[in-house]
């Protein structure tokens, strides 16, 4: 018999059939199947052509009894050595209920080649049917073809058990039993069971799952089974699966108030998918057309295999709820940054002015740290400490930094899009847009108009006290050159917008983690903490962190990113820097103070001043765009008719352009009258 060689090209059916050797070793038997299916696919450009090649294969085998015997022997060896239960029950699921291990497994599958020398049907399936095209031609095979193929593969009298169940039925039952065991272990996991609703725990839907599966097994394998009893046991199992699914779904309600974990979402999705897999296997088991349902199941598993390879699909499916929760928590914070009345607008100006005054000290401290000539890392680290302390102090004093707002206000705006189906919702949303824009304008103006004179005043005091300028002339000239409008500053400002967005993500994630692990309750009631701090102080700390942790996380993370990212970028030779509009304005003021009145005659000053509005616009717009896009996906409103919104915004710009910059006069009057 001709030994099948993997290096021998077999582009025609005759050579493939001639290479069939049921006595070949494991790897070569599997390689024969891989090449046969590759021939069936052809160029993967025509499903009817692939189906036609399947028919050619069936006709060729049927015409030669000796070839049919060899094919049956090959098939008997294959199904005897390869465990199909792993394919039916496990394919598409993580071997361990952990997101990180599943990511590592998918990376391994992507980067490392698979071997046909395996008894794992899942591994062989991935090699034999690797493309989405396989699902297409498998799904359209007709019943006559499939039944004829089954006849060609099956050995006469060798496929049935004493009770009349086929080898396929027994494999389905084993897979259902295995899946049910996995569902049971996941349902009993403490991290899920304790988060289910009280009624779901009391109903105990998981307890009787294995018993229902065993009841079905008896009805399928028993020689005296009746259709009524079989259907009754199948229906009971379906109802039990639905009860398990409903009980697991109650965990999502717990997430609404108690935080969310990607790991928990991963386990819940695995549980739901296993329940769906049992339903599919049950449909195959009870089908009056077993060959057709088997082909449809294989087609479905091909698509599962495609998703099984995708890291993007894994991260997208398991992080969507976390993104929603992070966006939701940012939205709660962002509402505080949107001004709707004249009083709120003036309050925002005052808060921004206070933030600008404090940022003046931050700016000069930065120059002082630079004068210490620390190494790149420690210089960046100390700059991060300077920024973080300043941002936290601004938060605690209830001031504001303009560029921190967009990443927080974007989710709040996206939440409004849920209501677009109601009457007048478009106009209401445009109203929110105008409120948001003028809030940003007020904050930027408050920061910039105060930080500039404040830095000038502080630099003048330092010069009077020390007898020399706060920064050297050379450093002042470098500052103005680095902020030139035609230089890389605009790109750096956009990059800073990305960091601002990243800080909002860190803030939302940190708050979610705090809530998920009930740290406020632990701080409030833990005996060791209350013994150390006292009950009242522990309660105050718990309440303070619950209310301010998101802001603290955003401020600290942003500060260290602004300080350390340029240092790390320089280490890798990337040349990245940050351009924060408030800090840049303060730097221009410090440079002006060092150069004196003659600075007014330097073109470098005016190029730097001209860049400041663009720096602010890029800081705000980039961070807002990224946060708004995330919030749209998290809120599942990506299908909103955006053209209507854009048209309404353009109409508002034409009819009332000043509403985007200052509150309407009547709004101010209305507030005054109410007061």
């Amino acid at each position: 018999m001709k030994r099948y060689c993997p290096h021998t090209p077999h582009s025609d059916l005759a050579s493939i059939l001639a290479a069939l050797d049921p006595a070949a070793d494991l790897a070569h038997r599997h390689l024969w199947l891989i090449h046969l299916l590759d021939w069936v696919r052809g160029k993967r450009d025509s499903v009817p052509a692939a189906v036609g090649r399947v028919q050619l294969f069936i006709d060729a085998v049927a015409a030669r009894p000796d070839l049919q015997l060899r094919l049956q022997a090959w098939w008997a060896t294959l199904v005897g050595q390869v465990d199909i239960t792993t394919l039916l029950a496990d394919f598409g699921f993580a071997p361990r209920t952990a997101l990180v291990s599943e990511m590592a497994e998918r990376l391994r599958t992507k980067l490392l080649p698979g071997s046909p020398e395996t008894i794992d049907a899942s591994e062989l399936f991935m090699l034999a049917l690797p493309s989405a095209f396989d699902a297409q031609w498998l799904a359209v095979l007709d019943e006559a073809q499939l039944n004829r193929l089954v006849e060609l593969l099956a050995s006469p009298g060798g496929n049935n058990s004493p009770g009349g169940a086929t080898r396929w039925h027994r494999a389905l039952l084993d897979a259902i039993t295995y899946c049910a065991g996995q569902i049971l272990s996941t349902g009993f996991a403490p991290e899920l069971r304790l988060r289910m609703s009280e009624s779901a725990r009391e109903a105990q839907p998981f307890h009787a799952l294995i018993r229902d599966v065993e009841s079905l097994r008896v009805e399928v394998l028993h020689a005296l089974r009746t259709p009524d009893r079989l259907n009754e046991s199948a229906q009971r199992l379906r109802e039990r699966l639905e009860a398990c699914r409903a009980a697991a779904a109650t965990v999502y309600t717990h997430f609404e108030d108690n935080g969310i974990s990607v790991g928990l979402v991963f386990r819940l999705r695995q549980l739901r998918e296993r329940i769906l897999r049992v339903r599919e296997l049950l449909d195959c088991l009870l089908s009056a057309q077993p060959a057709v349902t088997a082909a449809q199941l294989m087609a479905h598993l091909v698509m599962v295999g495609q998703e099984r390879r995708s890291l993007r699909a894994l991260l997208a499916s398991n992080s969507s709820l976390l993104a929603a929760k992070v966006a939701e928590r940012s939205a709660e914070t962002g509402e505080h940054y949107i001004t709707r009345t004249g009083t709120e607008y003036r309050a925002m100006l005052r808060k921004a002015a206070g933030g600008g005054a404090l940022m003046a000290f931050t700016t000069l401290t930065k120059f002082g740290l630079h004068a210490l000539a620390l190494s790149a890392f420690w210089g960046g680290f100390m700059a991060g400490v300077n920024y973080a302390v300043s941002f936290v102090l601004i938060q605690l004093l209830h001031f504001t930094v303009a560029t921190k707002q967009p990443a927080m206000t974007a989710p709040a705006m996206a939440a409004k899009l849920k209501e677009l189906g109601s009457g007048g919702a478009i106009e209401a949303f445009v109203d929110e847009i105008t409120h948001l824009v003028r809030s940003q304008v007020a904050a930027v103006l408050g920061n910039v108009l105060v930080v500039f004179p404040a830095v000038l005043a502080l630099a003048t005091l330092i010069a009077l006290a020390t007898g020399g300028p706060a920064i050297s002339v050379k450093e002042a000239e470098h500052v103005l050159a680095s902020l030139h409008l035609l230089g890389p500053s605009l790109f750096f400002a956009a990059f800073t917008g990305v960091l601002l967005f990243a800080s909002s993500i860190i803030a939302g994630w940190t708050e979610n983690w705090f809530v998920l692990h009930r740290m406020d309750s632990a701080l409030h009631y833990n005996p060791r903490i209350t013994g150390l701090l006292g009950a009242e102080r522990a309660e105050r700390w718990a309440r303070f962190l619950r209310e301010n942790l998101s802001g603290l996380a955003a401020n600290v993370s942003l500060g260290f990113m602004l300080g350390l990212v340029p240092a790390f970028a320089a280490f890798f030779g990337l040349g990245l820097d940050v351009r924060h509009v408030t800090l840049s304005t303060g730097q221009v003021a410090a440079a002006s103070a060092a150069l004196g009145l003659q600075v007014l005659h330097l073109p470098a000053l005016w190029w730097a001043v001209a860049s400041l509005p663009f720096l602010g616009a890029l800081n705000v717009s980039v961070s807002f765009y990224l946060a708004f896009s995330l919030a749209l996906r998290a809120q599942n409103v990506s299908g909103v008719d955006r053209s209507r919104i854009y048209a309404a915004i353009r109409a508002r710009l034409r009819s009332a352009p000043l509403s985007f910059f200052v509150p309407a006069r009547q709004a101010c009057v209305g507030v005054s009258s109410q007061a």
Side-chain angles (χ1 to χ4, degrees), residues 63-84:
R64 295 174 53 186
D66 62 317
L67 182 58
Q68 185 173 346
L69 290 175
R70 276 195 285 145
L71 181 63
Q72 290 172 352
W74 173 86
W75 179 253
T77 305
L78 177 71
V79 297
Q81 292 189 351
V82 175
D83 183 12
I84 196 174

Side-chain angles (χ1 to χ4, degrees), residues 518-531 534-535 538-539 542:
R518 305 176 64 204
M519 296 305 298
D520 52 343
S521 178
L523 290 172
H524 189 180
Y525 298 111
N526 184 272
R528 286 192 296 177
I529 295 176
T530 54
E539 180 184 3

Side-chain angles (χ1 to χ4, degrees), residues 104-121:
E105 177 65 17
R106 295 196 184 199
L107 279 173
R108 184 194 67 80
T109 303
K110 276 179 170 292
L111 300 177
L112 300 180
S115 171
E117 192 174 14
T118 178
I119 62 171
D120 187 342

Side-chain angles (χ1 to χ4, degrees), residues 62-315:
R64 295 174 53 186
D66 62 317
L67 182 58
Q68 185 173 346
L69 290 175
R70 276 195 285 145
L71 181 63
Q72 290 172 352
W74 173 86
W75 179 253
T77 305
L78 177 71
V79 297
Q81 292 189 351
V82 175
D83 183 12
I84 196 174
T85 303
T86 60
L87 173 65
L88 298 176
D90 281 339
F91 187 65
F93 299 108
R96 292 171 293 278
T97 52
L99 181 63
V100 175
S101 65
E102 175 65 0
M103 289 179 63
E105 177 65 17
R106 295 196 184 199
L107 279 173
R108 184 194 67 80
T109 303
K110 276 179 170 292
L111 300 177
L112 300 180
S115 171
E117 192 174 14
T118 178
I119 62 171
D120 187 342
S122 296
E123 294 182 4
L124 180 58
F125 188 85
M126 293 275 282
L127 291 171
L129 298 167
S131 71
F133 180 75
D134 294 310
Q136 299 176 32
W137 65 263
L138 278 171
V140 299
L141 293 174
D142 60 46
E143 185 177 5
Q145 283 179 311
L146 292 168
N147 288 336
R148 186 64 180 132
L149 186 59
V150 170
E151 292 174 4
L152 294 175
L153 293 173
S155 301
N159 197 35
N160 293 339
S161 66
T166 65
R167 185 195 297 270
W168 173 244
H169 287 149
R170 296 195 300 274
L172 288 170
L173 284 172
D174 290 343
I176 289 173
T177 303
Y178 189 86
C179 276
Q182 294 292 324
I183 293 169
L184 184 66
S185 63
T186 304
F188 281 168
E191 57 266 33
L192 294 184
R193 188 179 71 253
L194 295 177
R195 287 175 168 83
M196 293 179 188
S197 67
E198 185 177 351
S199 60
R201 290 197 301 271
E202 291 176 353
Q204 299 183 338
F206 294 92
H207 291 66
L209 180 61
I210 298 298
R211 184 186 65 198
D212 290 338
V213 171
E214 288 303 313
S215 175
L216 176 70
R217 175 181 287 273
V218 169
E219 295 300 330
V220 172
L221 299 179
H222 200 282
L224 299 178
R225 68 180 186 273
T226 63
D228 290 342
R229 291 185 55 173
L230 177 60
N231 292 334
E232 181 182 345
S233 64
Q235 181 60 28
R236 186 162 55 246
L237 178 57
R238 287 192 178 96
E239 292 174 354
R240 185 72 60 188
L241 291 169
E242 176 59 25
C244 293
R245 187 205 61 77
T250 63
V251 177
Y252 289 99
T253 304
H254 183 278
F255 288 157
E256 291 296 324
D257 301 318
N258 299 279
I260 195 170
S261 163
V262 171
L264 291 178
V265 173
F266 178 72
R267 300 195 71 172
L268 283 172
R269 290 185 183 276
Q270 292 274 289
L271 176 61
R272 178 180 176 273
E273 293 299 324
R274 283 199 182 272
I275 290 173
L276 294 176
R277 178 67 59 83
V278 173
R279 290 176 178 173
E280 293 172 344
L281 297 174
L282 189 56
D283 291 339
C284 287
L285 183 67
L286 302 178
S287 174
Q289 300 173 306
V292 175
T293 53
Q296 291 173 347
L297 177 61
M298 293 300 109
H300 171 70
L301 291 179
V302 169
M303 299 311 299
V304 170
Q306 296 298 304
E307 187 173 351
R308 183 76 170 81
R309 295 179 176 91
S310 174
L311 280 172
R312 180 180 298 178
L314 174 70
L315 294 175

Side-chain angles (χ1 to χ4, degrees), residues 34-89:
I34 291 170
H35 283 267
L36 172 65
L37 291 173
D38 190 51
W39 171 79
V40 170
R41 281 188 291 272
K43 296 181 179 179
R44 307 184 188 187
D45 58 352
S46 173
V47 171
V51 174
R53 282 188 283 271
V54 172
Q55 187 62 48
L56 286 176
F57 171 77
I58 293 172
D59 294 339
V61 174
R64 295 174 53 186
D66 62 317
L67 182 58
Q68 185 173 346
L69 290 175
R70 276 195 285 145
L71 181 63
Q72 290 172 352
W74 173 86
W75 179 253
T77 305
L78 177 71
V79 297
Q81 292 189 351
V82 175
D83 183 12
I84 196 174
T85 303
T86 60
L87 173 65
L88 298 176

Side-chain angles (χ1 to χ4, degrees), residues 417 420 426 429 625 628-633 636-650:
L417 291 176
L420 284 184
I426 293 291
F429 183 76
Y625 172 77
F628 192 64
S629 298
L630 174 67
L632 284 177
R633 290 194 297 271
N636 295 318
V637 291
S638 56
V640 172
D641 187 2
R642 300 179 186 181
S643 60
R644 293 190 301 151
I645 300 174
Y646 297 149
I649 293 174
R650 288 193 295 269

Side-chain angles (χ1 to χ4, degrees), residues 446-471:
N447 281 172
V448 169
L449 294 180
V450 171
V451 72
F452 192 93
V455 170
L456 279 177
L458 288 174
T460 302
L461 290 175
I462 292 173
L464 292 175
T466 62
I471 63 174

